[in-house]
Amino acid sequence: MADRQHMIRLDGKGTTYIMRIDEAGHLENLYYGKKLRQDAMVEALLPKREAPIGIGAGYSETNPLLYLETSCLETSTPGKGDYRSPAVVVEYSKGMQTLDFAYKAHRIIKGKPSRFENFAQSYANEEEATTIEIQLEDKVLPIMLQLNYTVFPNCDTMVRSATITNKTSTTVLIKNIASLQLDIPSAQWNVVSFDGAWARERHITRQALRPGKLEFGSTVGVSGAAHNPCIFLESPDCTASRGNCYAFNLIYSGDHREVVELSPYGITRFQTGINPQSFTWKLLPNASFTTPEAVMTYSSLGNNGASANLHEFVNNHIVRGHWKFRERPILCNNWEATYFNFNEKKLLELAKAAKDLGIELFVLDDGWFGTRDDDTTSLGDWIVNAKKLPSGITRLSERIHEMGLLFGIWVEPEMISRKSLLFDKHPDWMVAIPGRKPSVGRNQFILDLTRKEVRDYIFEALSEVFNLGMVDYVKWDMNRTFTDMYSTLFTSMTEFNYRYVSGLYELLGRLTSAFPKILFEGCSSGGNRYDLGMLCYMPQIWTSDNTDAYCRTLIQGGTSYGYPISAMGAHVSESPNHQTLRRSDIESRFNVAAFGAFGYELDLTALNAQQKATVKAQIEFYKKHRALLQFGRFIRLEENSNTDNSVIAHSSGKTRWAVVNDDLSEMLVLDFQTLNEPNPGQDTLRIPFARPDFDYEVSPRLQRISLDVFGSLINMLAPVNLSGESRLKQMLLDNYTLKSEDEHYIVSGDVLAYGGLHLDPQFGGTGYNNKVRILGDFGSRLYYIVRVKKSK
């Protein structure tokens, strides 16, 4: 980091960020990109302002050639000639919004100071980060704006926020304040967003940036499934492994907005922060407001390079506590096995089956409390359902622990049911507008977490459950969006959503401090609140309620752009899938789910002998490679992104993922196909990042192939006819499977990287032997690739 000739330079391991104070005192961005030499002649980056612009508004009579509209600014306000989206809008006397922030001072701090007392934020020690705080002040009013920058050099990532302070004698109204603004002097970008809805979260959307403005965000009270706060900007020639790529995210779990704007002068502006559509803030005299932190990174190594930076940042500077870099247990969740229809006997049967297969954690999902037999009752009543669990939660937990399993439990503490003891006692705790009938979601309503007494109740009630149940894991759910925002504690309801998130963070901070060894997993109808804010308290989040293998390649693939796979809850569930009714084999379901915090969510007691053997082998494989799968470097080789939500255009769509260790001596590669193609061409597995100086052994994970996949073709080989639903056919299906192809290679790294490995042929309509690969629709293989030492 250096300060030269009114310039401020921030360096990462492979990046450089340069700002300068312009002739009018504004903070201007000169460069953000690949690392420059320390003696680089950066004066060449200075903008040239030698001629007027037609109808442009010059900044002042003394600076008539300074046009803010054509400047790359670190922050922006309306009213002084910058007509792009403003980063800061503050309303004061007579509705005026014109402010003009100029440089006053800056200071450099080792490490990363805490910006909040009870709020999600990044962290680092003095050796891991450097912070610069830049003080700006309006030229007329005593309103201060501090821009905060923390550089994390080892992951080439920067965290930014803004703090505004009102030193006037009257209250002002914050109408918008972005956490981050970056102006890039280039117009050629593809904007990558991660969009969807319930059960189809974070699908990849790519669109070329055009003149005008793109806006993404959420106004539903949580970060939302429609548009994740993560955004990538890729140069037109950017690929997975090369090309300029910027990536951004927000450490916040509420309403957010991302703006990507291309000006008439070829400057691209990016902003992220709290969504002003549902936010204003009354800033009292001598009070300050600090925005949530925003994250940004740059890579010249394509979108995988930017993702690698973000993954390292999340693992090192967002996730914290006992479970940071600790291997996550394999779980069994009872939800899709039983839904609400269970009793103590059924749960113990599931737990025993799980233990016998090698599972480590049993999770009791919804329906264990109050009188809850469906989703219409009992939220808020965190007392055991004695009808279902007559021995109580303590005895159930003891019996599961006696089996050698960890015990986990589902809760939805932010909600209340009208049919509940809590509502009978405290109807005013429910969020509703007096005199209006409230909207309802999933037969439930929201508790007012802006109120301390509500948070205190939740803390005490959950603490009792966690202690009585000797709980090792908590699935924290939140199954609806916000409506009817109202609280008696403050006068402006446009503060409600922000205050709710602040209250949630305070509550989560208390609980995670009181129970530091519990593994918390976030959930919000799946991935409706998948963000960095929640990951500050919970090291993993349920990625989606949709567990279909094909859908998960789209969901987990999109999620992987901004989040590491250790943060993605991923389960093997039933077939046909409960969300899509799509059939897929259990091996392919495992291959996709293995790229995440892994578990099973199906009735293990209903598996036949072959299925149990298959699951047991899967678990053994996962345990053997767990550290690599959870904390290795994740790389996208091919993505079958359905970005325009169109029907699959052809039958050869591929998804290929890899997870690798630090020196590329060990890796696992997923090869997933969408539809099986008759008479297919040659399949080639190329690993472009394989080390040319290594030799590798390549082999697929041994998989079991159900005889049922062949249908009536099995009669071409069977000595007797196996037709219909005969008992003989069912006996064979239950007790016999085929092994997947016998494939094994030794290949030099240069061949694997530059040419690729030709795989054995897939079944294409004729012929079958132990060298023919049977994948079928939505089929896959996991290839284990490991370095072999060259013989002397």
Side-chain angles (χ1 to χ4, degrees):
M1 186 178 293
D3 187 355
R4 185 180 76 188
Q5 299 175 350
H6 301 292
M7 294 185 187
I8 301 171
R9 173 171 173 161
L10 300 85
D11 285 315
K13 182 173 58 178
T15 56
T16 295
Y17 193 95
I18 301 176
M19 298 172 279
R20 75 137 184 174
I21 305 157
D22 74 10
E23 54 267 39
H26 302 125
L27 197 59
E28 190 172 16
N29 183 279
L30 296 184
Y31 178 83
Y32 183 33
K34 199 168 184 178
K35 192 167 188 175
L36 302 177
R37 294 171 4 205
Q38 287 299 323
D39 63 348
M41 301 175 188
V42 295
E43 290 77 13
L45 298 169
L46 294 173
K48 305 301 188 291
R49 293 169 175 141
E50 308 296 340
I53 299 175
I55 60 169
Y59 172 68
S60 68
E61 292 177 294
T62 54
N63 302 105
L65 299 183
L66 172 58
Y67 296 91
L68 297 185
E69 190 177 9
T70 65
S71 299
C72 291
L73 300 171
E74 290 294 295
T75 189
S76 57
T77 56
K80 294 300 293 181
D82 184 354
Y83 302 106
R84 295 165 291 179
S85 177
V88 179
V89 179
V90 174
E91 188 172 281
Y92 53 96
S93 175
K94 297 182 180 180
M96 287 187 287
Q97 297 179 353
T98 298
L99 293 173
D100 190 13
F101 290 110
Y103 174 85
K104 184 179 181 183
H106 75 273
R107 67 169 183 159
I108 298 169
I109 306 167
K110 289 183 178 180
K112 162 69 169 56
S114 175
R115 301 279 169 204
F116 309 95
E117 184 178 353
N118 293 299
F119 204 86
Q121 60 185 313
S122 59
Y123 67 97
N125 61 38
E126 291 187 358
E127 288 72 41
E128 294 172 322
T130 303
T131 297
I132 182 167
E133 297 175 343
I134 304 176
Q135 296 284 347
L136 309 176
E137 184 174 2
D138 180 63
K139 291 186 176 181
V140 175
L141 297 175
I143 297 177
M144 319 297 181
L145 182 67
Q146 178 175 296
L147 301 183
N148 308 305
Y149 302 75
T150 298
V151 181
F152 301 82
N154 288 338
C155 48
D156 270 325
T157 300
M158 187 183 302
V159 162
R160 293 179 54 179
S161 64
T163 301
I164 190 165
T165 302
N166 177 19
K167 292 290 187 179
T168 73
S169 59
T170 60
T171 297
V172 300
L173 183 67
I174 301 172
K175 302 191 76 172
N176 180 48
I177 181 164
S179 298
L180 175 156
Q181 175 176 294
L182 179 67
D183 287 352
I184 308 170
S186 171
Q188 302 298 314
W189 298 103
N190 289 326
V191 180
V192 186
S193 56
F194 306 95
D195 314 307
W198 174 77
R200 48 183 174 87
E201 301 93 335
R202 292 174 300 287
H203 285 208
I204 301 164
T205 303
R206 267 187 185 83
Q207 52 187 313
L209 183 61
R210 307 292 185 196
K213 182 164 61 175
L214 289 172
E215 188 172 302
F216 308 89
S218 170
T219 56
V220 299
V222 294
S223 50
H227 307 288
N228 195 264
C230 183
I231 297 286
F232 275 49
L233 297 181
E234 299 176 344
S235 60
D237 62 345
C238 181
T239 68
S241 58
R242 66 177 185 277
N244 293 323
C245 183
Y246 296 96
F248 308 90
N249 212 332
L250 188 66
I251 307 176
Y252 187 60
S253 304
D255 295 343
H256 59 91
R257 182 182 70 159
E258 290 69 48
V259 174
V260 189
E261 182 175 9
L262 178 56
S263 80
Y265 300 98
I267 297 173
T268 298
R269 170 166 288 180
F270 177 84
Q271 294 170 338
T272 183
I274 300 172
N275 196 324
Q277 181 176 327
S278 56
F279 170 82
T280 64
W281 192 266
K282 292 181 179 179
L283 193 63
L284 302 176
N286 297 312
S288 297
F289 181 88
T290 298
T291 69
E293 294 179 345
V295 181
M296 67 180 185
T297 189
Y298 163 83
S299 177
S300 63
L301 300 177
N303 57 55
N304 273 323
S307 290
N309 292 346
L310 292 178
H311 294 177
E312 187 171 353
F313 171 77
V314 172
N315 280 328
N316 284 279
H317 304 292
I318 291 292
V319 174
R320 63 202 75 195
H322 180 78
W323 288 97
K324 179 178 179 177
F325 289 117
R326 188 179 294 269
E327 292 180 18
R328 315 289 162 72
I330 301 169
L331 67 80
C332 167
N333 183 299
N334 74 295
W335 179 243
E336 289 195 6
T338 66
Y339 291 100
F340 291 106
N341 186 26
F342 63 81
N343 55 32
E344 200 169 281
K345 180 175 180 291
K346 178 61 178 178
L347 295 178
L348 292 172
E349 288 172 352
L350 278 171
K352 183 180 185 304
K355 176 61 178 177
D356 291 344
L357 294 172
I359 287 169
E360 301 157 321
L361 163 65
F362 180 79
V363 180
L364 172 57
D365 210 280
D366 195 358
W368 61 267
F369 53 93
T371 58
R372 193 164 169 90
D373 293 321
D374 55 36
D375 62 12
T376 65
T377 73
S378 302
L379 288 173
D381 298 344
W382 301 111
I383 51 177
V384 71
N385 185 325
K387 180 181 175 183
K388 291 181 179 179
L389 305 175
S391 300
I393 202 73
T394 302
R395 183 57 187 144
L396 177 67
S397 175
E398 286 174 345
R399 295 187 69 177
I400 288 172
H401 281 119
E402 287 165 3
M403 294 181 192
L405 292 167
L406 299 172
F407 177 64
I409 202 163
W410 177 97
V411 293
E412 193 174 4
E414 301 166 63
M415 297 292 132
I416 186 171
S417 302
R418 278 195 186 273
K419 297 178 183 178
S420 67
L421 298 176
L422 183 64
F423 183 81
D424 291 342
K425 187 174 182 180
H426 294 290
D428 57 310
W429 286 6
M430 185 181 94
V431 174
I433 299 172
R436 291 184 181 271
K437 292 183 178 180
S439 299
V440 62
R442 203 191 182 224
N443 298 302
Q444 62 195 51
F445 302 88
I446 303 171
L447 282 170
D448 186 358
L449 264 63
T450 70
R451 299 172 62 164
K452 185 177 184 301
E453 66 268 31
V454 175
R455 301 195 301 271
D456 288 345
Y457 167 78
I458 295 172
F459 178 82
E460 295 299 332
L462 292 186
S463 294
E464 184 172 3
V465 170
F466 297 166
N467 284 318
L468 286 174
M470 298 165 284
V471 170
D472 304 294
Y473 162 102
V474 170
K475 181 180 177 183
W476 182 294
D477 213 340
M478 195 276 195
N479 281 307
R480 64 157 294 177
T481 51
F482 286 24
T483 59
D484 305 284
M485 287 78 79
Y486 181 84
S487 179
T488 58
L489 296 189
F490 40 94
T491 58
S492 175
M493 293 310 113
T494 52
E495 297 179 4
F496 179 90
N497 290 8
Y498 174 81
R499 288 181 181 272
Y500 180 97
V501 174
S502 298
L504 173 64
Y505 289 158
E506 189 270 343
L507 173 61
L508 292 176
R510 289 170 66 188
L511 283 167
T512 53
S513 295
F515 300 93
K517 292 189 176 181
I518 287 181
L519 172 58
F520 284 87
E521 178 167 338
C523 180
S524 181
S525 296
N528 197 43
R529 191 165 62 186
Y530 200 110
D531 57 66
L532 297 180
M534 294 306 292
L535 287 173
C536 289
Y537 303 95
M538 305 180 179
Q540 61 195 57
I541 300 174
W542 183 227
T543 320
S544 175
D545 282 347
N546 187 347
T547 51
D548 174 81
Y550 166 67
C551 291
R552 275 304 186 106
T553 65
L554 300 175
I555 294 167
Q556 290 174 219
T559 306
S560 74
Y561 272 68
Y563 306 90
I565 56 176
S566 60
M568 299 184 207
H571 297 172
V572 174
S573 63
E574 295 281 2
S575 179
N577 178 265
H578 288 195
Q579 291 75 48
T580 65
L581 300 182
R582 182 179 288 123
R583 296 179 184 273
S584 58
D585 72 85
I586 196 168
E587 295 284 31
S588 197
R589 283 175 269 155
F590 166 79
N591 290 343
V592 175
F595 286 79
F598 174 66
Y600 291 84
E601 192 164 337
L602 72 170
D603 190 349
L604 299 174
T605 66
L607 300 180
N608 64 36
Q610 287 302 312
Q611 290 168 331
K612 288 179 180 178
T614 297
V615 169
K616 195 167 188 176
Q618 291 172 353
I619 290 170
E620 290 172 356
F621 181 90
Y622 188 85
K623 287 179 178 178
K624 182 177 180 181
H625 302 287
R626 174 166 26 197
L628 181 63
L629 282 164
Q630 292 184 359
F631 298 110
R633 179 180 173 185
F634 179 83
I635 300 171
R636 295 174 297 275
L637 292 168
E638 294 184 46
E639 57 187 25
N640 186 27
S641 59
N642 195 18
T643 61
D644 59 358
N645 295 320
S646 63
V647 177
I648 299 167
H650 53 80
S651 59
S652 58
K654 284 277 191 184
T655 295
R656 280 180 171 166
W657 299 335
V659 61
V660 305
N661 67 355
D662 289 340
D663 67 356
L664 300 175
S665 63
E666 184 182 25
M667 58 190 81
L668 283 163
V669 176
L670 170 70
D671 183 16
F672 182 98
Q673 72 177 13
T674 305
L675 299 181
N676 196 58
E677 189 171 281
N679 190 22
Q682 176 67 61
D683 267 351
T684 301
L685 182 66
R686 189 170 78 85
I687 311 298
F689 48 82
R691 284 184 51 168
D693 56 327
F694 283 3
D695 289 341
Y696 290 97
E697 179 181 18
V698 182
S699 55
R701 181 180 71 85
L702 180 65
Q703 298 183 192
R704 295 169 182 264
I705 301 170
S706 171
L707 298 177
D708 202 33
V709 75
F710 293 98
S712 62
L713 282 176
I714 196 68
N715 289 311
M716 302 295 291
L717 298 175
V720 296
N721 188 276
L722 300 172
S723 59
E725 301 297 325
S726 68
R727 295 179 69 180
L728 177 60
K729 180 180 178 181
Q730 192 59 50
M731 182 195 72
L732 288 171
L733 293 177
D734 288 348
N735 293 281
Y736 295 94
T737 56
L738 296 176
K739 292 181 179 180
S740 57
E741 65 280 356
D742 181 15
E743 205 169 10
H744 180 268
Y745 306 95
I746 302 293
V747 59
S748 60
D750 51 356
V751 171
L752 191 59
Y754 309 147
L757 174 63
H758 293 329
L759 301 172
D760 283 345
Q762 285 198 54
F763 179 79
T766 59
Y768 173 72
N769 57 51
N770 65 353
K771 289 294 183 181
V772 174
R773 295 184 301 139
I774 303 294
L775 271 72
D777 293 349
F778 316 110
S780 64
R781 290 292 182 271
L782 258 184
Y783 289 93
Y784 181 57
I785 303 175
V786 62
R787 181 191 181 187
V788 291
K789 301 289 187 180
K790 298 177 182 179
S791 57
K792 295 182 180 179

